[in-house]
């Protein structure tokens, strides 16, 4: 996956290096590629900058006075606000790069001086792509969780009865409204009673088979009227709307529907 120009312009990169010529060269490389780049000269400035702005990537020189790159990275990873920012270490060819330590403190890659343009661009784009994909996955997960939460709010507070039934006819989920329609104090009581009860729910025991036969011919069956027995033995009329829920391969997972009396 190659980043688009829009994605590159949105990506915020912090470069940390006390060697001004090296800092300027690296910044110019990435700026020419369309990235949004900020430069700082030492570790303390890097920590301050990272806490004040949400960077997508940090390029961090290892050999710096006062606070070296290893310690800066360690502090970044220890701070909840900056812990998830990926860090690429910068090392000169004649310097000893402790790769084990670099990865142990939280680095995810490294580049060496003198910089090779293609290598720098490739490593930066790779780590930004991974970060953006991870963020997209997190956003999708959060959206799915919100949708699920909204569904269960509706499920639990709906006036109509809502249910899920397995392909062999056993209730998997029942909302409070459905339990109330059938005369039970809770969904749990109703599900337990229907499992233990020898008497079928439908007065006409063939009714469930007739309903599933219809669902094999059409996606949804609505206004399907039947007589059922309540918990106290009273027989009432209900009206069901029911549909199949299938997996990606079209295999039936369960039936879902609503009931009004």
């Amino acid at each position: 996956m190659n980043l688009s120009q829009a994605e590159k312009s949105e990506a915020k990169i912090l470069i940390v290096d006390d060697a001004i010529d090296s800092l300027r060269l690296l910044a110019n490389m990435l700026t020419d590629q369309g990235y949004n780049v900020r430069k700082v000269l030492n570790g303390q400035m890097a920590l301050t900058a990272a806490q004040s702005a949400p960077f997508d990537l940090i390029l961090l020189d290892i050999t710096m006075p006062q606070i070296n790159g290893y310690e800066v990275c360690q502090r970044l990873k220890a701070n909840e606000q900056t812990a998830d920012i990926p860090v690429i270490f910068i090392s000169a060819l004649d310097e000893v790069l402790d790769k084990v330590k670099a990865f142990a403190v939280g680095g995810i890659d490294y580049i060496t001086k003198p910089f090779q343009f293609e290598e720098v661009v490739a490593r930066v784009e790779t780590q930004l792509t991974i970060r953006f994909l991870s963020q997209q996955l997190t956003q999708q997960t959060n959206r799915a969780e919100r949708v699920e939460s909204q569904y269960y709010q509706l499920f639990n507070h709906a006036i109509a009865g809502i249910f899920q039934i397995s392909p062999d006819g056993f209730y998997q989920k029942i909302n409070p409204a459905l339990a109330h329609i059938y005369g039970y104090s809770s969904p749990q009581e109703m599900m337990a009673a229907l499992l233990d009860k020898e008497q079928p729910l439908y007065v006409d025991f063939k009714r469930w088979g007739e309903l599933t036969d219809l669902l094999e011919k059409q996606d949804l069956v609505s206004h399907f009227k039947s007589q059922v027995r309540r918990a106290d033995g009273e027989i009432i009329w209900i009206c069901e709307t029911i549909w199949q829920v299938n997996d990606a391969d079209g295999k039936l997972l369960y039936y879902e529907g609503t009931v009004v009396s």
Side-chain angles (χ1 to χ4, degrees):
M1 172 183 172
N2 294 324
L3 296 177
S4 66
Q5 282 304 123
E7 288 172 323
K8 287 182 178 181
S9 64
E10 291 175 2
K12 297 179 177 61
I13 300 175
L14 177 65
I15 304 176
V16 190
D17 196 336
D18 63 321
I20 295 177
D21 290 343
S22 174
L23 183 67
R24 184 180 296 116
L25 175 61
L26 192 54
N28 288 341
M29 280 185 184
L30 296 177
T31 300
D32 289 345
Q33 289 296 302
Y35 291 111
N36 185 348
V37 177
R38 180 175 175 184
K39 310 182 293 291
V40 295
L41 289 166
N42 59 58
Q44 187 55 57
M45 292 174 68
L47 293 170
T48 302
Q51 292 172 17
S52 63
F55 289 97
D56 296 298
L57 179 66
I58 296 176
L59 304 182
L60 178 61
D61 188 36
I62 289 177
T63 307
M64 295 185 294
Q66 297 179 340
I67 309 176
N68 65 32
Y70 298 126
E71 186 175 349
V72 172
C73 187
Q74 200 165 24
R75 291 192 191 182
L76 288 169
K77 298 304 174 182
N79 187 327
E80 184 178 351
Q81 186 178 347
T82 57
D84 67 338
I85 304 174
V87 175
I88 296 178
F89 280 114
I90 302 170
S91 174
L93 278 176
D94 58 355
E95 293 175 346
V96 177
L97 171 64
D98 188 338
K99 296 178 183 177
V100 173
K101 184 174 182 179
F103 291 124
V105 297
I108 41 89
D109 204 349
Y110 64 92
I111 54 177
T112 55
K113 305 175 186 178
F115 300 122
Q116 300 297 316
F117 175 78
E118 292 80 5
E119 178 191 15
V120 171
V121 170
R123 291 180 185 268
V124 166
E125 184 159 346
T126 295
Q127 295 306 326
L128 286 173
T129 298
I130 293 171
R131 178 168 173 80
F132 290 159
L133 290 174
S134 176
Q135 289 174 335
Q136 289 172 12
L137 180 59
T138 300
Q139 291 169 359
Q140 290 170 1
T141 301
N142 291 339
R143 281 197 296 269
E145 289 175 350
R146 286 196 298 271
V147 169
E148 184 177 9
S149 175
Q150 291 167 357
Y151 170 80
Y152 280 108
Q153 286 290 327
L154 172 64
F155 184 84
N156 289 321
H157 296 98
I159 297 173
I162 303 174
F163 61 84
Q164 290 180 1
I165 298 180
S166 66
D168 52 2
F170 288 98
Y171 281 95
Q172 296 176 324
K173 290 182 180 177
I174 295 171
N175 77 335
L178 185 65
H180 177 73
I181 290 171
Y182 289 146
Y184 295 93
S185 61
S186 69
Q188 293 78 14
E189 182 190 11
M190 178 175 167
M191 291 178 73
L194 292 180
L195 283 174
D196 296 337
K197 213 171 186 180
E198 294 182 4
Q199 188 76 359
L201 178 64
Y202 291 96
V203 173
D204 180 354
F205 70 90
K206 301 189 299 296
R207 203 62 175 147
W208 174 250
E210 293 170 353
L211 181 53
T212 54
D213 286 344
L214 283 174
L215 284 166
E216 289 181 0
K217 301 171 186 176
Q218 56 197 68
D219 295 333
L220 178 145
V221 174
S222 59
H223 307 298
F224 189 82
K225 294 181 180 179
S226 305
Q227 285 185 308
V228 296
R229 292 181 179 85
R230 283 170 47 91
D232 58 6
E234 179 187 359
I235 294 176
I236 63 171
W237 282 96
I238 62 164
C239 182
E240 294 179 273
T241 297
I242 187 168
W243 55 91
Q244 293 187 23
V245 177
N246 301 319
D247 64 15
D249 297 323
K251 181 181 178 182
L252 175 63
L253 297 176
Y254 54 85
Y255 301 101
E256 188 170 48
T258 61
V259 172
V260 293
S261 60

